[in-house]
């Protein structure tokens, strides 16, 4: 529900900072400005202009801080309401006192995400865009930022709008026919309906498939370095991170603890885990390391299976190959700077192999690309519109929308009545509406906006 009162909150992070901002939104924003802000000279605040002045206590006009104020008149503001921003000195107490002054001047403390919720309810952004703002705030890499920005700008909403338009067209054709049930649907119209619904099914399916990428883009991937001792796992970790963090040694099995590093491949966060030499051993500490590594094997999204190109394959390598069955992995042949002894025919034939040298760095770039392309397709990387589904809410809704169209197809081919066909199309349209927020129930909105911080 939307109560048209005036809300206020601290918009900057709590703690020490250069400046702190208190944001106020609602019909009384300008009244509150009059009560807590004294600019130099006469007259009120003009919209979208920055004023220097004194922020004062509404009760006795005593000075709280000096700072800047900007009033953004509706609808040209974040919430499409009148918005006042008071910029004061940073620091916990100062900002808190300025907020307090606004509350005593008549504002109510906002709830989490309430500013963004108002932007949504006032039609400035749709729900997909509102949700992208959370992704935007939480972005840690360029790639997730690019996708979040694109969604915020409305590319996903626009795509959904197009699909809904096509579905509405198909629905209108069916409904027109329902008005004249005595007439048969002519073949041309039938074909048109089928192709419109089919096109929508395809587009929605593609969006649904993009979730696999979207999740990777948002959360990154974990990559496990696996291989028998001394094949060069720590050296590869170093080569990938360009930091001498893991201890490189000639003694097999010195990497006893599992070491992790986060690297950035074209903006994708990749967590590299150096397993402690997966192998059978009687050494107890070693055993502990192996247990952890095997656990990690299950958790990793991708395994880099390292073998030493300067030595022949042995039973330890082959044991590992067995443990890898069913996992996504890349075979990495290391030490290619040395004379090669390895018989590659003994390696798993179905997996791609990358030749590298952790020592002189050859092949490392190809390995980075291979890691990237095993998760993010070229199409996604080079797509200009950066559309990918990143939220499980969207995925669940798309599954419903696609299911309804699959049902439609079955009904259509079995010659079902227009009424039945219309139900499926409306169901798919309703799902799209839930995604963009046209028909999203209030309790779902509560959950979405409560994940924002107060002041956003
Ligand atoms: P790990 O036990 O699998 O972690 O192996 P390390 O990274 O500790 O490497 C074992 C030994 O192999 C060290 O002496 C490294 O210097 C050496 N080594 C690792 N990678 C290469 C490589 O590409 N070429 C050569 N010539 N030596 C390497």
């Amino acid at each position: 529900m939307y109560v048209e009162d005036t809300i206020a909150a601290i918009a900057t992070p709590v703690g020490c900072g250069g400046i702190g901002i208190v944001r106020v939104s609602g019909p009384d924003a300008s009244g509150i400005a009059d009560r807590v802000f004294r600019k130099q000279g006469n007259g009120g605040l003009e919209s979208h202009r920055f004023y220097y002045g004194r922020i004062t206590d509404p009760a006795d006009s005593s000075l709280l801080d000096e700072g800047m104020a900007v009033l953004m008149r509706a609808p040209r503001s974040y919430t499409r309401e009148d918005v006042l921003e008071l910029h004061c000195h940073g620091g916990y107490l100062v900002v808190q006192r300025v907020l307090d002054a606004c509350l005593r001047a008549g504002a109510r403390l906002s709830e989490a995400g309430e500013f963004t919720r108002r932007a949504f309810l006032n039609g400035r952004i749709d729900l997909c865009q509102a949700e992208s703002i959370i992704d935007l705030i939480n972005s840690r890499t360029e790639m997730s930022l690019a996708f979040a920005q694109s969604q915020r700008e409305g590319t996903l909403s626009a795509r959904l709008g197009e699909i809904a338009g096509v579905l509405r067209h198909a629905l209108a054709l069916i409904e027109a026919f329902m008005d004249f049930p005595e007439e048969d649907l002519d073949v041309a119209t039938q074909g048109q309906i089928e192709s419109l619904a089919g096109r929508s099914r395809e587009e929605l399916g593609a969006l649904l498939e993009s979730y696999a990428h979207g999740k990777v883009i948002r959360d990154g991937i974990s990559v496990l370095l696996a291989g028998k001792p001394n094949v060069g796992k720590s050296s590869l970790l170093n080569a990938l991170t360009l930091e001498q963090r893991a201890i490189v040694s000639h003694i097999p099995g010195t990497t006893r603890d599992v070491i992790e590093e986060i690297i950035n491949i074209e903006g994708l966060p990749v967590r590299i885990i150096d397993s402690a030499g997966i192998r059978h051993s009687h050494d107890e500490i070693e055993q502990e390391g192996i247990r952890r590594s095997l656990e990690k094997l299950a958790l990793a999204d991708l395994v880099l299976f390292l073998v030493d190109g300067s030595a022949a394959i042995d039973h330890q390598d082959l044991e590992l190959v067995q443990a890898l069955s069913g996992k996504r992995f890349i075979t990495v042949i290391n030490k290619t700077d040395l004379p090669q002894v390895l018989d590659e025919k003994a390696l798993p034939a179905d997996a791609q192999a990358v030749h590298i040298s952790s020592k002189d760095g050859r092949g490392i770039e190809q390995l980075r690309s291979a890691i990237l392309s095993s998760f993010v397709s070229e199409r996604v990387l080079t797509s200009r519109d950066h559309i990918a589904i990143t939220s499980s809410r969207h995925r669940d809704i798309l599954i419903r929308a696609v299911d309804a169209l699959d049902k439609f197809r079955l009904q259509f081919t079995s010659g079902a009545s227009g009424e039945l066909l219309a139900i499926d199309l409306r169901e798919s349209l309703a799902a799209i509406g839930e995604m963009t927020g046209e028909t999203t129930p209030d309790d779902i909105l509560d959950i979405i906006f409560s994940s924002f911080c107060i002041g956003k």
Side-chain angles (χ1 to χ4, degrees), residues 193-310:
I193 293 170
E194 196 174 12
S195 111
L196 290 171
R199 217 165 83 205
S200 310
R201 163 65 179 86
E202 218 170 272
E203 298 245 342
L204 288 171
L207 279 180
L208 186 55
E209 274 171 29
S210 75
Y211 180 69
H213 287 131
K215 206 178 139 10
V216 162
I217 288 161
R218 201 179 62 173
D219 303 336
I221 54 169
S222 60
V223 173
L224 180 76
L225 302 180
K228 67 184 179 195
N230 249 8
V231 290
K233 295 179 296 298
S234 320
S235 311
L236 174 57
L237 181 69
N238 288 341
L240 284 168
T241 57
L242 297 176
E243 268 180 23
Q244 300 294 303
R245 176 99 173 252
I247 306 149
V248 184
S249 95
H250 297 281
I251 311 150
T254 40
T255 322
R256 283 186 172 142
D257 267 318
V258 174
I259 294 175
E260 295 191 10
E261 287 282 355
I262 293 183
I263 62 167
N264 179 329
I265 304 183
E266 307 274 337
L268 180 77
V270 178
R271 209 170 81 241
I272 307 267
I273 309 156
D274 183 5
S275 81
I278 301 174
R279 62 181 171 145
H280 299 294
S281 158
H282 298 294
D283 179 336
E284 268 186 38
I285 307 166
E286 198 61 52
Q287 204 65 46
E288 171 66 9
I290 292 162
R291 193 184 59 73
R292 277 196 228 146
S293 306
L294 287 170
E295 271 172 19
K296 294 274 180 184
L297 194 66
L299 292 177
D301 298 313
L302 173 74
V303 178
L304 298 186
F305 166 45
L306 257 79
V307 286
D308 180 346
S310 69

Side-chain angles (χ1 to χ4, degrees), residues 32-292:
I32 288 170
D34 292 342
R35 294 191 276 283
V36 303
F37 186 73
R38 301 267 165 278
K39 72 175 181 62
Q40 288 176 328
N42 297 326
L45 303 183
E46 258 180 63
S47 187
H48 291 85
R49 287 195 59 176
F50 238 139
Y51 292 93
Y52 168 73
R54 294 151 52 91
I55 302 168
T56 56
D57 189 308
D60 57 10
S61 294
S62 62
L63 178 72
L64 296 174
D65 197 8
E66 58 177 15
M68 308 286 293
V70 57
L71 181 68
M72 288 161 273
R73 289 276 186 197
R76 288 176 54 220
S77 71
Y78 185 66
T79 56
R80 278 207 174 155
E81 301 175 324
D82 284 353
V83 168
L84 169 71
E85 274 179 22
L86 294 168
H87 295 225
C88 57
H89 286 107
Y92 180 74
L93 202 55
V94 184
V95 192
Q96 195 61 48
R97 282 174 72 186
V98 172
L99 170 65
D100 213 46
C102 293
L103 299 180
R104 281 184 294 119
R108 161 176 72 77
L109 185 65
S110 90
E111 288 167 17
E114 206 172 355
F115 290 88
T116 308
R117 188 175 189 146
R118 287 185 173 200
F120 161 66
L121 292 171
N122 289 324
R124 197 174 98 78
I125 51 174
D126 71 12
L127 197 55
C128 295
Q129 290 173 299
E131 287 173 291
S132 72
I133 292 170
I134 306 180
D135 281 355
L136 194 81
I137 293 170
N138 293 334
S139 287
R140 296 272 183 274
T141 67
E142 300 94 27
M143 200 188 280
S144 59
L145 183 63
F147 277 79
Q149 282 287 21
S150 153
Q151 190 173 324
R152 190 194 56 76
E153 281 171 1
T155 45
L156 176 59
S157 314
R159 175 77 53 89
L160 290 170
E162 284 164 23
I163 300 171
V166 172
L167 280 177
R168 271 191 217 103
H169 186 182
L171 184 60
L173 290 173
I174 290 174
E175 280 169 347
F177 155 72
M178 280 157 62
D179 292 340
F180 304 98
E182 62 283 357
E183 285 176 31
D184 268 346
L185 210 56
D186 63 82
V187 179
T189 314
Q190 273 191 28
Q192 205 182 351
I193 293 170
E194 196 174 12
S195 111
L196 290 171
R199 217 165 83 205
S200 310
R201 163 65 179 86
E202 218 170 272
E203 298 245 342
L204 288 171
L207 279 180
L208 186 55
E209 274 171 29
S210 75
Y211 180 69
H213 287 131
K215 206 178 139 10
V216 162
I217 288 161
R218 201 179 62 173
D219 303 336
I221 54 169
S222 60
V223 173
L224 180 76
L225 302 180
K228 67 184 179 195
N230 249 8
V231 290
K233 295 179 296 298
S234 320
S235 311
L236 174 57
L237 181 69
N238 288 341
L240 284 168
T241 57
L242 297 176
E243 268 180 23
Q244 300 294 303
R245 176 99 173 252
I247 306 149
V248 184
S249 95
H250 297 281
I251 311 150
T254 40
T255 322
R256 283 186 172 142
D257 267 318
V258 174
I259 294 175
E260 295 191 10
E261 287 282 355
I262 293 183
I263 62 167
N264 179 329
I265 304 183
E266 307 274 337
L268 180 77
V270 178
R271 209 170 81 241
I272 307 267
I273 309 156
D274 183 5
S275 81
I278 301 174
R279 62 181 171 145
H280 299 294
S281 158
H282 298 294
D283 179 336
E284 268 186 38
I285 307 166
E286 198 61 52
Q287 204 65 46
E288 171 66 9
I290 292 162
R291 193 184 59 73
R292 277 196 228 146

Side-chain angles (χ1 to χ4, degrees), residues 344-407:
E344 288 189 30
K345 285 199 283 298
L347 292 170
D350 50 340
Q352 55 173 326
V354 181
H355 296 78
I356 64 158
S357 163
S358 302
K359 194 167 187 170
D360 67 15
R362 78 182 71 165
I364 299 293
E365 216 31 65
Q366 284 89 319
L367 181 59
R368 287 168 65 95
S369 312
I371 295 172
L372 187 64
S373 58
S374 63
F375 281 91
V376 187
S377 77
E378 196 62 25
R379 192 168 49 83
V380 171
L381 279 178
T382 52
S383 76
R384 267 185 308 115
D385 50 7
H386 286 113
I387 295 183
I389 300 302
T390 54
S391 109
S392 57
R393 185 184 86 86
H394 292 172
R395 181 204 52 198
D396 295 347
I397 289 177
L398 281 172
I399 289 174
R400 271 168 35 218
V402 164
D403 282 353
L405 290 184
D406 284 344
K407 218 166 101 211

Side-chain angles (χ1 to χ4, degrees), residues 311-324:
I313 291 271
D314 67 12
H315 70 279
Q316 285 189 309
D317 296 307
L318 294 175
E319 253 176 72
L320 249 170
V321 170
Q322 280 194 336
L324 287 174

